[in-house]
Amino acid sequence: MQIPAELRERFARARRVLVLTGAGVSAESGVPTFRGGGNSAVWRGMPFDVISSAEMVERDLPAVWEWFDYRRNLLAELNPNPAHYEIARWQERFAEFTLVTQNVDGLHQKAGSRKMIELHGNIWRARCTACDTAYSMVQERRPDACFECGDLLRPDVVLFGEMLPPGAFELAAACASQCELCFVVGTSALVYPAAALPEIAKAAGAYVVEVNPERTPLSSLCDEVLTGKAGEVLPLFQR
Ligand code: BV8
Ligand code: ZN
């Protein structure tokens, strides 16, 4: 695959760049996607947007922990791939660079990405259901209850039917409305409000580029569609 000349030219002179990623950017690291291969991820017979829902936290928090503990243990063995590393390099390359991810896997940070917007939280954190105190689970086992108030802990991720972290979407939308170049990497663009970001960028005049081995509902809106795997396509921008 060649990077088309116009895109290469715009990439060379861009100052304000936004990248939105989804599960596809972590696929080559071995992280199962949610809709890879057409069918939705299922846990104990429940589609993921049921087990990953606010309602399930009310109904059966231990089941929700089982699902996230399973994914966290899976992730513990996995590492970033060339797509994560290329994106991490871009934060030094562009004057105003914003990385927005829907992923909770922490692989962007592991690849060196810093100041990024985690729209849907992070699987390596727990938070108190009452006082919101957060706990890291990177090294430590999660405590059985909150040290501050003794209440139950839950995964510090955004579940279906829940609001995104305060200000996270607003900041991402502001950056999307100011960027010249918007990359959409490895997302099926079905979950809102995240999927609205490329639409906001496009409406504000940005050049929108999709990187995905499959077409998505977003493809027709894009100025450029690079059909391929992120770990193979993104490193082509180095040359
Ligand atoms: C909310 C954390 C306000 C948990 C997640 C408007 C219209 C319709 C519905 C709604 C709407 N507004 C709100 C909703 C409801 C809902 C929603 O969008 N539902 C969908 C299903 C229609 N949204 C919400 O509930 C959001 N909250 O709106 O709050 C509110 C509050 C109360 C009442 C009403 C409104 C919260 C959404 C966040 C949920 N949490 N994750 C967890 O991880 O378990 S979402 C989760 O699923 C991910 O974070 C991600 O966002 C999504 C999965 O999508 P992708 O990441 O794109 O992954 P997918 O597998 O689908 O696709 C992978 C892609 O990669 C594919 O295209 C594939 O081809 C490609 N690929 C594969 N390999 C590669 C590759 N690409 C590149 N390289 C490769 N190698
Ligand atoms: Zn507490």
Side-chain angles (χ1 to χ4, degrees):
M1 167 183 295
Q2 282 297 324
I3 303 294
E6 167 155 9
L7 174 51
R8 193 170 282 293
E9 215 284 296
R10 286 173 179 269
F11 186 83
R13 72 165 193 267
R15 292 175 46 75
R16 298 186 304 281
V17 176
L18 181 135
V19 174
L20 172 68
T21 63
V25 80
S26 296
E28 292 151 271
S29 296
V31 182
T33 62
F34 295 87
R35 284 186 189 77
N39 56 12
S40 275
V42 174
W43 175 257
R44 303 237 181 289
M46 292 176 275
F48 91 88
D49 49 5
V50 171
I51 182 69
S52 279
S53 69
E55 191 233 329
M56 190 57 78
V57 166
E58 300 308 316
R59 184 144 46 101
D60 188 348
L61 181 53
V64 173
W65 269 123
E66 218 188 357
W67 160 234
F68 284 98
D69 291 348
Y70 159 76
R71 291 165 64 186
R72 220 177 38 258
N73 295 333
L74 205 75
L75 278 169
E77 316 305 317
L78 304 179
N79 292 303
N81 66 64
H84 295 108
Y85 289 113
E86 185 60 24
I87 291 169
R89 268 191 287 278
W90 291 2
Q91 67 193 342
E92 312 305 333
R93 181 193 173 98
F94 299 106
E96 291 168 48
F97 178 77
T98 307
L99 170 59
V100 183
T101 190
Q102 300 167 78
N103 302 344
V104 297
D105 59 29
L107 289 177
H108 280 301
Q109 290 95 327
K110 223 172 171 183
S113 285
R114 288 176 305 292
K115 62 176 186 52
M116 47 184 288
I117 301 173
E118 291 183 305
L119 283 181
H120 297 161
N122 188 301
I123 202 169
W124 295 99
R125 282 196 311 268
R127 86 166 184 270
C128 175
T129 53
C131 72
D132 277 348
T133 300
Y135 297 84
S136 168
M137 294 186 280
V138 175
Q139 316 295 353
E140 309 82 13
R141 216 182 61 66
R142 75 170 183 277
D144 298 335
C146 176
F147 295 145
E148 303 302 321
C149 75
D151 214 313
L152 294 173
L153 302 184
R154 54 158 287 164
D156 191 16
V157 298
V158 178
L159 299 171
F160 283 95
E162 292 185 332
M163 306 301 273
L164 275 51
F169 182 75
E170 293 70 15
L171 176 59
C175 296
S177 63
Q178 284 148 21
C179 72
E180 300 152 284
L181 201 44
C182 172
F183 284 87
V184 187
V185 183
T187 185
S188 58
L190 294 171
V191 170
Y192 281 76
L197 291 170
E199 296 160 359
I200 292 169
K202 179 70 178 174
Y207 196 78
V208 182
V209 181
E210 182 175 56
V211 180
N212 196 313
E214 293 173 15
R215 286 191 68 77
T216 73
L218 213 55
S219 304
S220 53
L221 170 146
C222 292
D223 299 284
E224 201 72 63
V225 173
L226 303 177
T227 305
K229 296 182 172 186
E232 294 163 8
V233 172
L234 294 186
L236 297 175
F237 283 92
Q238 279 172 45
R239 302 209 196 108

Short mmCIF file of all heavy atoms in Angstrom, two decimals, residues 22-24 27-28 33-36 48-49 52 67-68 71 102-104 120 157-164 186-193 211-214 216 228-230, ligand 1:
data_model
loop_
_atom_site.label_atom_id
_atom_site.label_comp_id
_atom_site.label_asym_id
_atom_site.label_seq_id
_atom_site.Cartn_x
_atom_site.Cartn_y
_atom_site.Cartn_z
N GLY A 22 -10.18 2.88 18.08
CA GLY A 22 -11.09 1.89 18.63
C GLY A 22 -10.36 0.56 18.79
O GLY A 22 -9.15 0.49 18.59
N ALA A 23 -11.12 -0.47 19.07
CA ALA A 23 -10.55 -1.78 19.39
C ALA A 23 -9.63 -2.31 18.29
O ALA A 23 -8.68 -3.05 18.56
CB ALA A 23 -11.68 -2.77 19.65
N GLY A 24 -9.86 -1.88 17.05
CA GLY A 24 -9.07 -2.38 15.93
C GLY A 24 -7.59 -2.05 16.05
O GLY A 24 -6.74 -2.82 15.59
N ALA A 27 -6.06 -4.85 17.89
CA ALA A 27 -6.29 -6.21 17.38
C ALA A 27 -4.98 -6.95 17.13
O ALA A 27 -4.83 -8.11 17.52
CB ALA A 27 -7.12 -6.15 16.09
N GLU A 28 -3.98 -6.28 16.55
CA GLU A 28 -2.70 -6.94 16.23
C GLU A 28 -1.86 -7.18 17.49
O GLU A 28 -0.83 -7.85 17.43
CB GLU A 28 -1.93 -6.11 15.20
CG GLU A 28 -2.61 -6.10 13.82
CD GLU A 28 -2.33 -4.83 13.06
OE1 GLU A 28 -3.10 -3.86 13.22
OE2 GLU A 28 -1.33 -4.80 12.31
N THR A 33 -11.51 -7.83 19.40
CA THR A 33 -12.36 -6.66 19.16
C THR A 33 -13.78 -7.04 19.58
O THR A 33 -14.04 -8.18 19.96
CB THR A 33 -12.34 -6.28 17.67
OG1 THR A 33 -12.88 -7.38 16.93
CG2 THR A 33 -10.94 -5.95 17.20
N PHE A 34 -14.69 -6.07 19.56
CA PHE A 34 -16.06 -6.32 20.02
C PHE A 34 -16.90 -6.88 18.89
O PHE A 34 -17.80 -7.68 19.09
CB PHE A 34 -16.67 -5.03 20.54
CG PHE A 34 -15.98 -4.50 21.76
CD1 PHE A 34 -14.88 -3.68 21.65
CD2 PHE A 34 -16.44 -4.85 23.01
CE1 PHE A 34 -14.23 -3.19 22.78
CE2 PHE A 34 -15.80 -4.37 24.15
CZ PHE A 34 -14.69 -3.54 24.03
N ARG A 35 -16.63 -6.43 17.69
CA ARG A 35 -17.48 -6.85 16.57
C ARG A 35 -16.64 -7.49 15.49
O ARG A 35 -17.10 -7.62 14.36
CB ARG A 35 -18.19 -5.61 15.99
CG ARG A 35 -19.33 -5.14 16.83
CD ARG A 35 -20.11 -4.01 16.18
NE ARG A 35 -21.05 -3.50 17.16
CZ ARG A 35 -20.68 -2.69 18.15
NH1 ARG A 35 -19.41 -2.31 18.24
NH2 ARG A 35 -21.55 -2.28 19.04
N GLY A 36 -15.35 -7.86 15.89
CA GLY A 36 -14.52 -8.50 14.87
C GLY A 36 -15.28 -9.69 14.30
O GLY A 36 -15.94 -10.43 15.01
N PHE A 48 -21.86 -8.04 24.81
CA PHE A 48 -21.02 -7.19 25.67
C PHE A 48 -21.73 -5.94 26.10
O PHE A 48 -21.50 -5.43 27.19
CB PHE A 48 -19.67 -6.93 25.00
CG PHE A 48 -19.60 -5.70 24.16
CD1 PHE A 48 -19.26 -4.50 24.74
CD2 PHE A 48 -19.91 -5.73 22.83
CE1 PHE A 48 -19.19 -3.34 23.98
CE2 PHE A 48 -19.86 -4.58 22.06
CZ PHE A 48 -19.50 -3.40 22.63
N ASP A 49 -22.64 -5.40 25.26
CA ASP A 49 -23.26 -4.14 25.71
C ASP A 49 -24.36 -4.41 26.76
O ASP A 49 -24.99 -3.49 27.23
CB ASP A 49 -23.77 -3.30 24.53
CG ASP A 49 -24.59 -4.11 23.55
OD1 ASP A 49 -24.85 -5.29 23.85
OD2 ASP A 49 -24.95 -3.57 22.49
N SER A 52 -21.59 -5.06 29.87
CA SER A 52 -20.91 -3.78 30.09
C SER A 52 -21.92 -2.64 30.19
O SER A 52 -21.80 -1.61 29.53
CB SER A 52 -19.95 -3.49 28.92
OG SER A 52 -18.74 -4.18 29.06
N TRP A 67 -16.15 -10.28 34.32
CA TRP A 67 -15.93 -9.93 32.91
C TRP A 67 -14.70 -9.06 32.76
O TRP A 67 -13.82 -9.33 31.93
CB TRP A 67 -17.21 -9.28 32.41
CG TRP A 67 -17.22 -8.41 31.18
CD1 TRP A 67 -17.71 -7.12 31.12
CD2 TRP A 67 -16.89 -8.75 29.83
NE1 TRP A 67 -17.65 -6.64 29.84
CE2 TRP A 67 -17.14 -7.62 29.01
CE3 TRP A 67 -16.35 -9.90 29.22
CZ2 TRP A 67 -16.90 -7.59 27.63
CZ3 TRP A 67 -16.11 -9.88 27.84
CH2 TRP A 67 -16.40 -8.74 27.07
N PHE A 68 -14.53 -8.05 33.62
CA PHE A 68 -13.38 -7.15 33.50
C PHE A 68 -12.10 -7.77 34.06
O PHE A 68 -11.01 -7.53 33.55
CB PHE A 68 -13.71 -5.79 34.14
CG PHE A 68 -14.60 -4.95 33.27
CD1 PHE A 68 -15.97 -4.90 33.47
CD2 PHE A 68 -14.06 -4.24 32.21
CE1 PHE A 68 -16.80 -4.17 32.62
CE2 PHE A 68 -14.87 -3.49 31.36
CZ PHE A 68 -16.24 -3.45 31.57
N ARG A 71 -10.78 -9.88 31.21
CA ARG A 71 -10.13 -9.06 30.17
C ARG A 71 -8.82 -8.48 30.68
O ARG A 71 -7.83 -8.44 29.94
CB ARG A 71 -11.09 -7.95 29.72
CG ARG A 71 -12.29 -8.48 28.95
CD ARG A 71 -13.39 -7.47 28.83
NE ARG A 71 -13.01 -6.29 28.05
CZ ARG A 71 -13.80 -5.22 27.91
NH1 ARG A 71 -14.99 -5.19 28.52
NH2 ARG A 71 -13.41 -4.18 27.21
N GLN A 102 -11.31 5.09 22.46
CA GLN A 102 -12.45 4.41 23.06
C GLN A 102 -11.97 3.19 23.85
O GLN A 102 -12.72 2.58 24.58
CB GLN A 102 -13.42 3.95 21.96
CG GLN A 102 -13.99 5.06 21.11
CD GLN A 102 -14.68 4.53 19.86
OE1 GLN A 102 -15.80 4.03 19.92
NE2 GLN A 102 -13.98 4.58 18.73
N ASN A 103 -10.69 2.86 23.68
CA ASN A 103 -10.14 1.66 24.30
C ASN A 103 -9.86 1.87 25.78
O ASN A 103 -9.41 2.94 26.18
CB ASN A 103 -8.86 1.23 23.57
CG ASN A 103 -9.12 0.98 22.10
OD1 ASN A 103 -10.27 0.84 21.68
ND2 ASN A 103 -8.06 0.97 21.31
N VAL A 104 -10.13 0.83 26.55
CA VAL A 104 -9.87 0.87 27.99
C VAL A 104 -8.62 0.05 28.33
O VAL A 104 -8.29 -0.12 29.49
CB VAL A 104 -11.08 0.29 28.76
CG1 VAL A 104 -12.33 1.16 28.52
CG2 VAL A 104 -11.35 -1.17 28.41
N HIS A 120 -13.75 6.30 27.34
CA HIS A 120 -14.52 5.24 28.01
C HIS A 120 -13.81 4.67 29.24
O HIS A 120 -14.08 3.55 29.67
CB HIS A 120 -14.87 4.13 27.02
CG HIS A 120 -15.74 4.62 25.91
ND1 HIS A 120 -15.88 3.95 24.72
CD2 HIS A 120 -16.52 5.73 25.79
CE1 HIS A 120 -16.69 4.62 23.92
NE2 HIS A 120 -17.10 5.71 24.55
N VAL A 157 -14.62 2.26 34.19
CA VAL A 157 -14.86 2.38 32.76
C VAL A 157 -16.26 2.95 32.57
O VAL A 157 -17.09 2.90 33.49
CB VAL A 157 -14.75 1.01 32.05
CG1 VAL A 157 -13.36 0.42 32.19
CG2 VAL A 157 -15.82 0.06 32.56
N VAL A 158 -16.53 3.50 31.38
CA VAL A 158 -17.86 4.03 31.07
C VAL A 158 -18.69 2.89 30.51
O VAL A 158 -18.33 2.29 29.50
CB VAL A 158 -17.79 5.16 30.03
CG1 VAL A 158 -19.19 5.66 29.68
CG2 VAL A 158 -16.92 6.31 30.54
N LEU A 159 -19.77 2.56 31.16
CA LEU A 159 -20.61 1.46 30.70
C LEU A 159 -21.76 2.02 29.87
O LEU A 159 -22.04 3.22 29.88
CB LEU A 159 -21.12 0.68 31.92
CG LEU A 159 -20.01 0.05 32.78
CD1 LEU A 159 -20.55 -0.52 34.07
CD2 LEU A 159 -19.24 -1.01 31.99
N PHE A 160 -22.42 1.16 29.09
CA PHE A 160 -23.53 1.63 28.25
C PHE A 160 -24.61 2.22 29.13
O PHE A 160 -24.92 1.69 30.19
CB PHE A 160 -24.06 0.48 27.39
CG PHE A 160 -23.16 0.19 26.22
CD1 PHE A 160 -22.20 -0.80 26.30
CD2 PHE A 160 -23.25 0.95 25.07
CE1 PHE A 160 -21.34 -1.03 25.23
CE2 PHE A 160 -22.38 0.73 24.00
CZ PHE A 160 -21.43 -0.27 24.08
N GLY A 161 -25.12 3.39 28.70
CA GLY A 161 -26.13 4.10 29.47
C GLY A 161 -25.52 5.04 30.48
O GLY A 161 -26.24 5.70 31.23
N GLU A 162 -24.19 5.12 30.50
CA GLU A 162 -23.53 6.03 31.45
C GLU A 162 -22.90 7.20 30.71
O GLU A 162 -22.46 7.07 29.57
CB GLU A 162 -22.44 5.29 32.24
CG GLU A 162 -22.99 4.24 33.20
CD GLU A 162 -21.90 3.61 34.06
OE1 GLU A 162 -20.73 3.54 33.58
OE2 GLU A 162 -22.20 3.19 35.18
N MET A 163 -22.83 8.32 31.40
CA MET A 163 -22.19 9.51 30.83
C MET A 163 -20.69 9.30 30.74
O MET A 163 -20.11 8.57 31.54
CB MET A 163 -22.48 10.73 31.72
CG MET A 163 -23.94 10.98 32.00
SD MET A 163 -24.88 11.21 30.48
CE MET A 163 -24.65 12.98 30.28
N LEU A 164 -20.09 9.94 29.78
CA LEU A 164 -18.62 9.90 29.66
C LEU A 164 -17.99 10.74 30.79
O LEU A 164 -18.69 11.54 31.41
CB LEU A 164 -18.21 10.43 28.29
CG LEU A 164 -18.21 9.43 27.12
CD1 LEU A 164 -19.51 8.66 27.01
CD2 LEU A 164 -17.81 10.07 25.82
N GLY A 186 -9.34 1.92 13.33
CA GLY A 186 -9.80 0.71 14.00
C GLY A 186 -11.06 0.84 14.81
O GLY A 186 -11.17 0.32 15.91
N THR A 187 -12.03 1.58 14.27
CA THR A 187 -13.32 1.63 14.96
C THR A 187 -14.47 1.35 14.00
O THR A 187 -14.43 1.76 12.84
CB THR A 187 -13.56 2.97 15.68
OG1 THR A 187 -14.78 2.88 16.42
CG2 THR A 187 -13.61 4.14 14.70
N SER A 188 -15.50 0.67 14.48
CA SER A 188 -16.69 0.38 13.67
C SER A 188 -17.63 1.57 13.67
O SER A 188 -18.63 1.58 12.97
CB SER A 188 -17.41 -0.85 14.25
OG SER A 188 -17.75 -0.59 15.62
N ALA A 189 -17.27 2.62 14.48
CA ALA A 189 -18.02 3.88 14.50
C ALA A 189 -19.51 3.65 14.75
O ALA A 189 -20.36 4.30 14.13
CB ALA A 189 -17.81 4.65 13.19
N LEU A 190 -19.86 2.77 15.66
CA LEU A 190 -21.26 2.50 15.99
C LEU A 190 -21.65 3.03 17.36
O LEU A 190 -22.83 3.19 17.65
CB LEU A 190 -21.52 0.98 15.95
CG LEU A 190 -21.39 0.31 14.58
CD1 LEU A 190 -21.45 -1.19 14.71
CD2 LEU A 190 -22.48 0.81 13.64
N VAL A 191 -20.67 3.30 18.21
CA VAL A 191 -20.98 3.73 19.58
C VAL A 191 -20.85 5.24 19.71
O VAL A 191 -19.84 5.82 19.33
CB VAL A 191 -20.07 3.01 20.60
CG1 VAL A 191 -20.22 3.61 21.98
CG2 VAL A 191 -20.41 1.52 20.62
N TYR A 192 -21.92 5.83 20.25
CA TYR A 192 -21.99 7.31 20.43
C TYR A 192 -21.81 7.68 21.89
O TYR A 192 -22.03 6.81 22.74
CB TYR A 192 -23.34 7.80 19.91
CG TYR A 192 -23.34 7.90 18.40
CD1 TYR A 192 -23.45 6.76 17.61
CD2 TYR A 192 -23.15 9.13 17.78
CE1 TYR A 192 -23.39 6.84 16.23
CE2 TYR A 192 -23.09 9.21 16.40
CZ TYR A 192 -23.22 8.06 15.63
OH TYR A 192 -23.14 8.15 14.26
N PRO A 193 -21.34 8.87 22.17
CA PRO A 193 -21.05 9.95 21.25
C PRO A 193 -19.68 9.89 20.56
O PRO A 193 -19.41 10.72 19.69
CB PRO A 193 -21.13 11.20 22.14
CG PRO A 193 -20.69 10.71 23.48
CD PRO A 193 -21.24 9.32 23.59
N VAL A 211 -8.55 4.34 8.74
CA VAL A 211 -7.64 3.20 8.61
C VAL A 211 -8.38 2.00 9.19
O VAL A 211 -8.64 1.94 10.40
CB VAL A 211 -6.32 3.44 9.36
CG1 VAL A 211 -5.41 2.21 9.20
CG2 VAL A 211 -5.62 4.70 8.85
N ASN A 212 -8.76 1.06 8.33
CA ASN A 212 -9.57 -0.08 8.75
C ASN A 212 -9.57 -1.12 7.62
O ASN A 212 -9.69 -0.75 6.45
CB ASN A 212 -11.02 0.39 9.00
CG ASN A 212 -11.84 -0.61 9.80
OD1 ASN A 212 -11.83 -1.80 9.49
ND2 ASN A 212 -12.53 -0.12 10.80
N PRO A 213 -9.43 -2.39 7.94
CA PRO A 213 -9.46 -3.40 6.86
C PRO A 213 -10.86 -3.57 6.28
O PRO A 213 -11.03 -4.14 5.21
CB PRO A 213 -9.01 -4.69 7.56
CG PRO A 213 -9.11 -4.45 9.01
CD PRO A 213 -9.15 -2.98 9.24
N GLU A 214 -11.87 -3.04 6.98
CA GLU A 214 -13.26 -3.15 6.50
C GLU A 214 -13.87 -1.77 6.37
O GLU A 214 -13.43 -0.82 7.03
CB GLU A 214 -14.11 -3.97 7.49
CG GLU A 214 -13.73 -5.46 7.59
CD GLU A 214 -14.51 -6.17 8.72
OE1 GLU A 214 -15.52 -5.58 9.20
OE2 GLU A 214 -14.07 -7.25 9.14
N THR A 216 -16.79 1.00 7.04
CA THR A 216 -17.63 1.27 8.21
C THR A 216 -18.67 2.32 7.83
O THR A 216 -18.56 2.93 6.75
CB THR A 216 -16.78 1.85 9.37
OG1 THR A 216 -16.43 3.20 9.04
CG2 THR A 216 -15.52 1.03 9.61
N GLY A 228 -6.69 -1.44 5.36
CA GLY A 228 -5.61 -2.31 5.82
C GLY A 228 -5.55 -2.33 7.34
O GLY A 228 -6.37 -1.69 8.01
N LYS A 229 -4.56 -3.05 7.86
CA LYS A 229 -4.39 -3.16 9.31
C LYS A 229 -3.57 -1.98 9.83
O LYS A 229 -2.57 -1.61 9.22
CB LYS A 229 -3.69 -4.48 9.66
CG LYS A 229 -4.52 -5.72 9.30
CD LYS A 229 -3.81 -6.99 9.70
CE LYS A 229 -4.74 -8.20 9.50
NZ LYS A 229 -4.12 -9.43 10.02
N ALA A 230 -3.98 -1.43 10.95
CA ALA A 230 -3.33 -0.23 11.49
C ALA A 230 -1.83 -0.44 11.70
O ALA A 230 -1.02 0.43 11.40
CB ALA A 230 -3.99 0.15 12.81
C1 BV8 B 1 -24.10 7.74 26.67
C2 BV8 B 1 -16.16 0.53 27.84
C3 BV8 B 1 -25.38 9.49 27.61
C4 BV8 B 1 -16.70 -0.71 28.45
C5 BV8 B 1 -17.67 1.11 26.00
C6 BV8 B 1 -27.13 7.75 19.88
C7 BV8 B 1 -27.57 6.87 18.95
C8 BV8 B 1 -27.68 5.50 19.32
C9 BV8 B 1 -27.33 5.04 20.58
C10 BV8 B 1 -26.88 5.94 21.48
C11 BV8 B 1 -26.80 7.27 21.14
N1 BV8 B 1 -26.33 7.92 22.23
C12 BV8 B 1 -26.12 7.02 23.23
C13 BV8 B 1 -26.45 5.81 22.80
C14 BV8 B 1 -26.37 4.60 23.56
C15 BV8 B 1 -24.97 3.99 23.53
C16 BV8 B 1 -24.59 3.57 22.14
O1 BV8 B 1 -23.87 4.23 21.41
N2 BV8 B 1 -25.07 2.37 21.79
C17 BV8 B 1 -24.67 1.77 20.49
C18 BV8 B 1 -24.46 0.28 20.72
C19 BV8 B 1 -25.66 2.05 19.44
N3 BV8 B 1 -23.97 4.93 24.04
C20 BV8 B 1 -23.81 5.00 25.39
O2 BV8 B 1 -24.46 4.36 26.19
C21 BV8 B 1 -22.74 5.95 25.86
N4 BV8 B 1 -23.23 6.77 26.93
O3 BV8 B 1 -24.55 7.94 25.56
O4 BV8 B 1 -24.40 8.48 27.79
C22 BV8 B 1 -26.59 8.82 28.02
C23 BV8 B 1 -26.69 8.44 29.35
C24 BV8 B 1 -27.90 7.89 29.74
C25 BV8 B 1 -28.93 7.62 28.79
C26 BV8 B 1 -28.74 7.97 27.44
C27 BV8 B 1 -27.56 8.59 27.05
C28 BV8 B 1 -21.56 5.17 26.49
C29 BV8 B 1 -20.90 4.33 25.46
C30 BV8 B 1 -19.61 3.72 26.05
C31 BV8 B 1 -19.81 2.28 26.45
N5 BV8 B 1 -18.54 1.67 26.84
N6 BV8 B 1 -16.48 0.60 26.42
C32 BV8 B 1 -16.07 -1.96 27.86
O5 BV8 B 1 -15.01 -1.85 27.23
O6 BV8 B 1 -16.64 -3.04 28.08
S1 BV8 B 1 -18.09 1.08 24.30
C33 BV8 B 1 -16.98 -0.08 23.59
O7 BV8 B 1 -17.64 -0.52 22.43
C34 BV8 B 1 -15.67 0.47 23.12
O8 BV8 B 1 -15.12 1.41 24.00
C35 BV8 B 1 -16.04 1.08 21.77
O9 BV8 B 1 -16.57 2.36 21.93
C36 BV8 B 1 -17.14 0.14 21.30
C37 BV8 B 1 -16.60 -0.91 20.37
O10 BV8 B 1 -16.37 -0.26 19.15
P1 BV8 B 1 -14.89 -0.36 18.48
O11 BV8 B 1 -13.86 0.03 19.48
O12 BV8 B 1 -14.99 0.34 17.22
O13 BV8 B 1 -14.69 -1.95 18.26
P2 BV8 B 1 -15.46 -2.92 17.22
O14 BV8 B 1 -15.08 -4.30 17.59
O15 BV8 B 1 -16.90 -2.55 17.15
O16 BV8 B 1 -14.82 -2.56 15.79
C38 BV8 B 1 -13.46 -2.82 15.59
C39 BV8 B 1 -13.13 -2.20 14.23
O17 BV8 B 1 -11.73 -2.37 14.01
C40 BV8 B 1 -13.86 -2.87 13.06
O18 BV8 B 1 -14.32 -1.86 12.18
C41 BV8 B 1 -12.77 -3.71 12.40
O19 BV8 B 1 -12.94 -3.80 11.00
C42 BV8 B 1 -11.52 -2.90 12.72
N7 BV8 B 1 -10.27 -3.66 12.76
C43 BV8 B 1 -10.09 -4.96 13.08
N8 BV8 B 1 -8.76 -5.28 13.02
C44 BV8 B 1 -8.10 -4.11 12.70
C45 BV8 B 1 -9.07 -3.08 12.54
N9 BV8 B 1 -8.74 -1.82 12.22
C46 BV8 B 1 -7.41 -1.54 12.03
N10 BV8 B 1 -6.42 -2.48 12.19
C47 BV8 B 1 -6.73 -3.76 12.49
N11 BV8 B 1 -5.75 -4.67 12.61
#
